[in-house]
Amino acid sequence: MSNNNLVVKIAQPYASALLDLANSKKAIEQISQDMKLIEDILLQSAKLKYFLANPLKTIGAKKQVITATFGDQISENTLSFLMVLVDRKRIAMLDVIASKYLELAYEMESLTIANISTSIALNSDQENLLTDKIKAMTNAKEVKLVISVDPELIGGFTIQIGSKVIDTSIRGQLRQMASHLDVAAI
């Protein structure tokens, strides 16, 4: 079993417990916003992620940093949950727990997350059309588009929904042609 799979297996019960707490407090939306904020901050700050993962830092120091960093930006329930993670020495997995929580919360709300990479920015009509097509493909009630512009695609776009990838980009077509040429040359 790879190390990443082990981390996900350990993170799953914590994410589920947080979802249960959010559900019981009728605060799924609030805690989802909190976890998205935490996930974004951890992606932007490698130093914070390293600090929280460092076993030489004391529990008290980690709690102080968490309170100083997130205290006024997240709800009391989320802050308490983070303190439990520190106490149980699972705070190093916060990014995975946040990601897993969001995945579970979106799944519970029948919300599908579609990561879209385009060569140019989409206008609102194109986004709406894409949302409708993805809803039809996935039978989801709601679709959230996470759009990024990648000029290296040359033209077209790629869609990633879970582990499924749809590549309509020119770069993808060129790669596909190159792979066929490599096979034919052998």
Side-chain angles (χ1 to χ4, degrees):
M1 179 183 296
S2 75
N3 192 29
N4 194 34
N5 287 343
L6 182 63
V7 170
V8 170
K9 281 192 181 282
I10 294 170
Q12 176 75 34
Y14 288 97
S16 295
L18 182 59
L19 186 62
D20 291 344
L21 172 71
N23 211 2
S24 69
K25 301 272 186 180
K26 306 281 189 246
I28 291 177
E29 190 172 320
Q30 175 62 52
I31 293 178
S32 293
Q33 289 172 358
D34 293 348
M35 295 310 280
K36 183 65 181 146
L37 174 75
I38 290 167
E39 186 179 53
D40 291 344
I41 289 172
L42 288 174
L43 281 173
Q44 293 172 5
S45 177
K47 286 183 179 179
L48 176 61
K49 197 173 174 182
Y50 176 77
F51 178 85
L52 295 176
N54 188 340
L56 299 176
K57 302 297 180 185
T58 66
I59 289 175
K62 289 180 182 183
K63 285 184 177 184
Q64 283 180 334
V65 167
I66 288 170
T67 303
T69 306
F70 301 115
D72 58 343
Q73 299 179 52
I74 60 175
S75 69
E76 193 62 40
N77 289 324
T78 306
L79 189 59
S80 296
F81 176 75
L82 296 181
M83 296 306 157
V84 169
L85 291 179
V86 172
D87 290 338
R88 300 224 173 143
K89 297 179 177 33
R90 297 294 190 213
I91 198 67
M93 298 177 191
L94 181 56
D95 57 336
V96 179
I97 293 169
S99 176
K100 199 68 182 160
Y101 169 83
L102 291 169
E103 183 183 311
L104 293 170
Y106 293 154
E107 186 179 302
M108 190 172 113
E109 295 174 357
S110 294
L111 178 69
T112 298
I113 303 296
N115 294 305
I116 314 292
S117 293
T118 64
S119 57
I120 58 171
L122 299 177
N123 63 36
S124 61
D125 291 338
Q126 291 169 323
E127 287 182 22
N128 292 336
L129 185 61
L130 200 51
T131 300
D132 292 341
K133 291 283 185 189
I134 293 171
K135 279 182 185 178
M137 283 174 31
T138 61
N139 295 323
K141 292 179 186 171
E142 289 294 319
V143 172
K144 180 181 178 192
L145 300 180
V146 178
I147 301 173
S148 61
V149 176
D150 182 3
E152 291 183 14
L153 293 177
I154 305 170
F157 57 89
T158 63
I159 303 172
Q160 180 180 357
I161 304 168
S163 62
K164 185 175 184 177
V165 176
I166 301 167
D167 189 350
T168 65
S169 68
I170 293 175
R171 180 177 69 182
Q173 292 172 5
L174 290 172
R175 282 185 183 158
Q176 191 174 27
M177 282 192 291
S179 71
H180 289 301
L181 291 174
D182 285 342
V183 171
I186 295 176

